Amino acid sequence: PASHWLVELLQNSIIINVMLAVFNMLPLPPLDGGRVAVGLLPDALAYPLARLERYGLFILIALIFVVPYLGDMVGLQIDVFAWLVAVPANFVIEVVMTAVGL
């Protein structure tokens, strides 16, 4: 019924929001996590990281699409997105779902 649909909707919205939050906090300069890292790191490390901003989108595309494709070509399963986003997001999702009783 409607209550089951509402619970599914709540679960899906939690999952989507946590995945987006974890992805956005990756320490790569075009993302918010990169800006946080640049703000927290000492200048000697922050400047080189900040200079990566113009290449950040290309780095993200390579990590999410190109590296797994090349890994498949040589017979390796290299899923960078799962390592960087799915694993931490699943932990946060479990904590949130437990906290709200779902």
Side-chain angles (χ1 to χ4, degrees):
S3 63
H4 179 69
W5 177 82
L6 189 58
V7 168
E8 289 285 328
L9 181 68
L10 178 61
Q11 287 176 338
N12 289 335
S13 65
I14 290 171
I15 291 168
I16 291 169
N17 279 298
V18 168
M19 293 291 280
L20 288 172
V22 170
F23 178 77
N24 195 35
M25 287 308 294
L26 290 176
L28 200 56
L31 303 174
D32 289 340
R35 299 189 193 287
V36 170
V38 167
L40 292 176
L41 289 172
D43 290 344
L45 297 172
Y47 289 136
L49 183 62
R51 280 183 277 164
L52 282 178
E53 186 163 3
R54 74 175 86 180
Y55 308 110
L57 184 59
F58 299 113
I59 294 169
L60 280 174
I61 290 170
L63 289 175
I64 294 172
F65 298 109
V66 176
V67 171
Y69 177 74
L70 295 175
D72 285 342
M73 289 178 62
V74 296
L76 298 172
Q77 184 178 357
I78 304 172
D79 190 1
V80 179
F81 187 80
W83 297 340
L84 296 176
V85 177
V87 171
N90 285 335
F91 173 75
V92 174
I93 289 166
E94 287 298 320
V95 170
V96 171
M97 294 293 190
T98 303
V100 289
L102 293 177

